[in-house]
Amino acid sequence: MKYLFSAFFTTSLLILTNCNSANALEEIPLSMHTSLNQQLAINNERYGVVGQSVLILKNHQQFYRGQHGVANIELNVDITEKHIFPSYSITKLLTSVLMMQQVEKGSVDLKNSIRTYLPYLPKRWQSVTIEHLLSHTSGIPRYFDIAMKKGIFLPTKKAVFFSLIDEPEHFEIGTKNSYNNTNFLLLSAILEAKAGKSYQTLVAEEIINPLGLKNTGHTSAKDTINNHVTSYRGANGKVRKNMNIDWPEYTFSHSALYSTPEDLATFMTALVTGKFVSQKTLKQLWKPMKLADGNKGRYAFGFEYAFEDGYYHSGHDGGNHVKLRHYFNPKDSADNYTLVYATNGNAYDVWTDVLADSLMAIVDPDKFEMAAIKEQFLSNILEKNDKGLIEVYKAVSNVFDSDEALIERFLLYRAYAIRYGSGAESSIPAFKFLISKFPNSDRAQQALTDANAAINK
């Protein structure tokens, strides 16, 4: 397999082994710090991650800080702790927090129709509630897809809403989660209507200024931000500069955020320690909305939300470049971690979940057993370690109590993680391994066919 930047992998590894040790708390073993540094280099080699800046907190105290790679390929500028990263949709969490405050004050009712607050909205949206917007279950048309297709943003958010009147909903309300920027555009309009202030003013007054976030804000393609990394995207294993979007101000509720790992961790810590709303309110609100079929959805008040290995995972992805996630043990409030994994792009389209798991598997492989198993599977496939792969399969079977449906789904998702992270060719052994275990699986056969087709394009 061909890796990006493999020429300087060894050199970078040696440098990383000794970097940032002064920033880590004494409680982290030197061997773990070294392993985390090495994992950043491995992620660069495997997935072509251009630049990485990572911060991990344990019980709200710094546990690990590390960087790897470059902020700008063309100028060969190394990543440092001072660099600022495009954080894109993590801004949705700011919007969610502002809405939490309105709910706590009693100014907004989650069960109310959005037309209660914005009466000019289409009458056919009457059944859509605030809760539907926050959980991405509204079914409202996706304005952003239309804007990207036409290559133009309408002048105001009200113009956007009116433009969607005759657009069909893309699914029946409440039946599934479907990520949609229109939801958060509507939330910002409701916030502005209730507070009588602009979204930017609310963010500044309620979040940025009180927390003293010096390196967080919103930007468009026309702006120049000191120490801002260059953003890249992957195209079949090759890195190209990302398309710069001239974001209008009304999009700031769902995109265009920039920040640093320190600022994002400070924001998350403030939220979970009661700085924005009481911890009682947070506990009440931070629950996934049930879908029409009775199953729990993937979002809790706008936050990605999951439960694994005895920890709740809450946070968000930023443009598949940055991961902000808080891990907390509901049985022990002092057992929590906050991870910020900031990148400026990669050679394919590696999931930020994969990057996060690769580090938490090192932090504590016993606590984060599934993260460790996921990372072991990817490592064994990419390193062609058949013996190790058999051991991982045994571990997966044990975790899922030999439930074949769950085991198959796990292996399928991991195979796709390799395909999107390292390319179609790298994923072939993973799909073949899946088929060897589930020879009658139509999904596995189709996935292998699709991967081969992608290689031959």
Side-chain angles (χ1 to χ4, degrees):
M1 181 175 67
K2 294 181 179 179
Y3 296 122
L4 189 69
F5 306 136
S6 59
F8 59 82
F9 167 66
T10 303
T11 301
S12 300
L13 181 58
L14 292 172
I15 294 173
L16 271 170
T17 299
N18 296 308
C19 74
N20 296 311
S21 59
N23 291 331
L25 294 182
E26 291 183 5
E27 67 182 70
I28 181 172
L30 178 60
S31 59
M32 182 185 294
H33 194 273
T34 299
S35 294
L36 290 167
N37 284 339
Q38 290 173 342
Q39 189 63 47
L40 298 189
I42 289 169
N43 289 345
N44 161 256
E45 185 194 18
R46 284 181 180 169
Y47 311 121
V49 183
V50 181
Q52 306 166 76
S53 187
V54 175
L55 173 64
I56 301 175
L57 307 183
K58 182 177 182 180
N59 197 19
H60 313 306
Q61 299 296 316
Q62 182 170 309
F63 183 73
Y64 169 75
R65 188 71 170 93
Q67 301 85 38
H68 180 274
V70 295
N72 181 285
I73 295 173
E74 292 74 21
L75 300 177
N76 195 29
V77 177
D78 289 338
I79 286 282
T80 71
E81 288 189 11
K82 294 182 179 180
H83 276 110
I84 295 169
F85 289 77
S87 303
Y88 305 105
S89 286
I90 290 178
T91 193
K92 289 181 173 69
L93 301 188
L94 311 188
T95 307
S96 294
V97 164
L98 293 174
M99 188 56 72
M100 284 181 181
Q101 293 177 329
Q102 293 296 320
V103 172
E104 186 174 60
K105 291 175 184 176
S107 300
V108 171
D109 188 325
L110 292 176
K111 302 297 183 180
N112 277 352
S113 167
I114 57 178
R115 295 187 72 247
T116 302
Y117 308 101
L118 303 174
Y120 60 80
L121 293 176
K123 290 183 179 180
R124 63 194 182 95
W125 294 358
Q126 180 65 33
S127 298
V128 178
T129 67
I130 303 291
E131 191 174 22
H132 288 127
L133 300 182
L134 287 161
S135 59
H136 292 291
T137 58
S138 70
I140 284 175
R142 300 171 183 265
Y143 98 90
F144 191 73
D145 294 351
I146 299 171
M148 289 294 96
K149 185 176 181 179
K150 293 182 178 180
I152 188 171
F153 286 98
L154 294 175
T156 66
K157 61 184 69 175
K158 184 177 284 190
V160 170
F161 302 148
F162 287 155
S163 74
L164 300 176
I165 290 176
D166 295 324
E167 293 289 335
E169 281 83 1
H170 62 285
F171 65 90
E172 184 180 351
I173 184 173
T175 58
K176 65 178 181 179
N177 293 122
S178 185
Y179 194 75
N180 186 351
N181 288 318
T182 311
N183 292 327
F184 276 73
L185 201 62
L186 285 160
L187 288 169
S188 68
I190 293 168
L191 286 168
E192 290 175 338
K194 294 303 297 181
K197 299 177 181 179
S198 71
Y199 176 80
Q200 285 177 277
T201 298
L202 288 171
V203 169
E205 291 181 353
E206 301 295 333
I207 299 174
I208 291 179
N209 295 341
L211 297 183
L213 305 182
K214 303 298 184 182
N215 297 301
T216 298
H218 295 88
T219 183
S220 71
K222 295 183 295 185
D223 299 326
T224 299
I225 307 295
N226 289 337
N227 294 321
H228 198 286
V229 299
T230 302
S231 181
Y232 298 92
R233 61 185 175 88
N236 296 320
K238 297 181 180 179
V239 171
R240 298 176 181 176
K241 281 189 176 181
N242 213 354
M243 176 178 64
N244 287 322
I245 298 176
D246 191 12
W247 302 100
E249 289 186 5
Y250 68 73
T251 67
F252 291 175
S253 61
H254 69 74
S255 195
L257 186 73
Y258 65 82
S259 193
T260 62
E262 281 74 16
D263 277 8
L264 292 177
T266 297
F267 163 78
M268 183 63 80
T269 299
L271 173 62
V272 299
T273 57
K275 298 296 192 299
F276 298 128
V277 295
S278 70
Q279 290 177 312
K280 179 181 178 181
T281 295
L282 181 62
K283 185 176 180 180
Q284 292 171 341
L285 298 179
W286 234 3
K287 295 178 180 178
M289 180 182 181
K290 284 189 177 180
L291 303 179
D293 61 6
N295 291 321
K296 290 182 179 179
R298 299 196 312 273
Y299 298 94
F301 216 95
F303 288 69
E304 296 172 354
Y305 207 74
F307 186 75
E308 187 174 272
D309 291 332
Y311 288 84
Y312 283 102
H313 302 181
S314 187
H316 213 280
D317 180 277
N320 206 33
H321 278 44
V322 177
K323 173 65 72 179
L324 170 60
R325 178 181 284 170
H326 183 66
Y327 303 78
F328 63 98
N329 182 343
K331 297 180 181 179
D332 183 359
S333 60
D335 184 10
N336 65 79
Y337 297 83
T338 300
L339 176 144
V340 185
Y341 200 128
T343 81
N344 56 341
N346 58 84
Y348 291 93
D349 200 18
V350 63
W351 301 339
T352 55
D353 286 348
V354 169
L355 302 178
D357 285 340
S358 74
L359 298 189
M360 298 311 291
I362 296 171
V363 169
D364 197 321
D366 293 325
K367 284 184 177 180
F368 299 99
E369 181 184 12
M370 285 307 300
I373 291 174
K374 292 173 186 175
E375 176 60 22
Q376 288 165 10
F377 179 81
L378 299 182
S379 296
N380 288 323
I381 288 291
L382 294 173
E383 295 169 8
K384 298 179 174 59
N385 183 350
D386 294 337
K387 183 178 180 181
L389 201 56
I390 293 172
E391 293 302 314
V392 170
Y393 183 77
K394 290 179 181 178
V396 173
S397 299
N398 184 57
V399 167
F400 294 120
D401 197 23
S402 299
D403 186 316
E404 292 193 351
L406 294 178
I407 297 170
E408 180 190 354
R409 185 172 68 176
F410 174 89
L411 296 177
L412 182 66
Y413 285 3
R414 291 307 95 199
Y416 272 115
I418 295 173
R419 176 174 172 180
Y420 290 114
S422 293
E425 186 173 355
S426 298
S427 70
I428 296 299
F431 288 120
K432 287 184 175 179
F433 180 77
L434 172 61
I435 291 171
S436 73
K437 298 300 180 182
F438 299 94
N440 297 320
S441 170
D442 292 336
R443 292 192 303 174
Q445 295 287 351
Q446 186 60 52
L448 178 60
T449 299
D450 291 344
N452 279 313
I455 294 171
N456 295 324
K457 279 186 178 179

